[in-house]
Amino acid sequence: MYKIFETVDEVSRYTAQRLLDTILAKPEAVLGLATGGTMEPVYAQLVGMLEQSAVDLSRLTTFNLDEYIGLSASHAQSYRYYMGQHLFDRLSLPRESVHLPDGNAEDVDAACRAYSTAIQAAGGLDLQLLGIGSNGHIGFNEPHTDFSCRTHVIALSEQTRRDNGRFFSDQSEVPTHALTLGIQDILEAEEIMLVATGSKKAAIMAELYHGGVDEALPASALKQHHNVTIVMDSQAAALLPRQEEGGAA
Ligand code: GLP
């Protein structure tokens, strides 16, 4: 299903409301969370909604999608730091309920295996939130990642390093590798929401809309899932057929 709104604000409110509805319907829900510029206004909305509704978060569990390798947890661009800043430090969520892949693990392969296992042990993801890279990556699953992969180490593409370079003071500081939930883990979520905003996502969203399932476009794996909502603003949806606007497909 495609949901297209005019503004980023509307996209963010809709997405945050869906997250809140999931928590209200199932206080022990397991949420898969994403990072990136797209999610900043989503989390700002969610924090506001949670403050107003005084929801009990004590039984909630979260698993983040990905993390850079080699950045300390206090590095301003680590995803652990990002999540603290935008969400976790602003909510009364038990710290032991929050999980991120450990980009500083001594044995990263063991850490990857343990991460996918921990998600399964928690009962699986009820809702997976996703952004999308300009090359179609989800999490950090770059083009041509095997769709059967579980949590794994990935070498970041030059396009992704360039895109994410805007968050670092110098391009050379952008890590070369990351840990990411695999496509298989993502597809096992009960429900998936992919959010795309801004004109830089227009080309890839049109490719995703028109194309088939293809490992060259990681987000196309979502076409195999039965419960996916793709939420866009008018800029990200600019190259989609007009009849999709405001409606479902
Ligand atoms: C990053 C993250 C992804 C995110 C995507 C889009 O590299 N690993 O999880 O969805 O790229 O980021 P942004 O929202 O900043 O465009």
Side-chain angles (χ1 to χ4, degrees):
M1 177 172 78
Y2 290 83
K3 289 288 288 180
I4 301 173
F5 296 94
E6 194 53 39
T7 64
V8 171
D9 193 53
E10 289 170 283
V11 166
S12 305
R13 266 188 285 133
Y14 174 81
T15 307
Q17 187 64 51
R18 290 277 297 266
L19 287 164
L20 178 61
D21 290 345
T22 301
I23 300 168
L24 289 172
K26 189 176 177 186
E28 68 282 16
V30 181
L31 299 182
L33 298 178
T35 51
T38 310
M39 296 305 155
E40 291 181 19
V42 172
Y43 293 145
Q45 289 284 349
L46 181 62
V47 168
M49 289 174 184
L50 287 168
E51 274 167 3
Q52 277 179 10
S53 51
V55 181
D56 174 20
L57 300 178
S58 62
R59 287 187 286 152
L60 193 69
T61 301
T62 70
F63 285 91
N64 262 79
L65 263 178
D66 47 15
E67 178 61 285
Y68 290 113
I69 289 186
L71 296 188
S72 68
S74 60
H75 190 291
Q77 295 312 325
S78 77
Y79 287 162
R80 185 172 287 278
Y81 186 89
Y82 170 109
M83 289 306 295
Q85 195 185 26
H86 294 289
L87 202 63
F88 299 145
D89 294 348
R90 305 170 69 187
L91 303 178
S92 51
L93 191 59
R95 286 299 169 259
E96 62 278 14
S97 312
V98 162
H99 304 86
L100 284 100
D102 182 0
N104 291 300
E106 268 182 36
D107 184 342
V108 278
D109 292 328
C112 287
R113 282 193 299 276
Y115 201 70
S116 289
T117 304
I119 293 174
Q120 287 161 6
L125 298 163
D126 290 292
L127 174 62
Q128 176 65 60
L129 185 60
L130 295 173
I132 184 167
S134 65
N135 63 356
H137 73 229
I138 48 175
F140 267 133
N141 291 284
E142 297 282 28
H144 303 291
T145 301
D146 190 325
F147 283 177
S148 66
C149 263
R150 293 201 176 274
T151 306
H152 61 108
V153 176
I154 186 102
L156 300 178
S157 70
E158 277 316 304
Q159 187 173 342
T160 296
R161 293 189 67 244
R162 252 196 325 274
D163 286 350
N164 290 3
R166 72 190 194 278
F167 296 116
F168 291 79
S169 48
D170 189 279
Q171 185 63 35
S172 64
E173 288 176 20
V174 184
T176 56
H177 290 77
L179 297 182
T180 182
L181 215 61
I183 304 261
Q184 184 63 38
D185 299 301
I186 292 170
L187 291 179
E188 282 170 6
E190 278 297 315
E191 185 180 352
I192 298 174
M193 285 183 81
L194 183 143
V195 186
T197 56
S199 57
K200 289 191 177 128
K201 302 290 168 68
I204 197 68
M205 294 315 290
E207 231 182 281
L208 176 61
Y209 180 83
H210 290 290
V213 176
D214 184 348
E215 285 184 352
L217 204 176
S220 71
L222 303 181
K223 294 185 179 225
Q224 299 170 312
H225 195 278
H226 63 286
N227 191 3
V228 179
T229 307
I230 296 180
V231 192
M232 285 176 273
D233 72 343
S234 53
Q235 291 190 9
L239 303 177
L240 261 64
R242 282 198 64 82
Q243 65 269 22
E244 296 302 342
E245 288 178 24

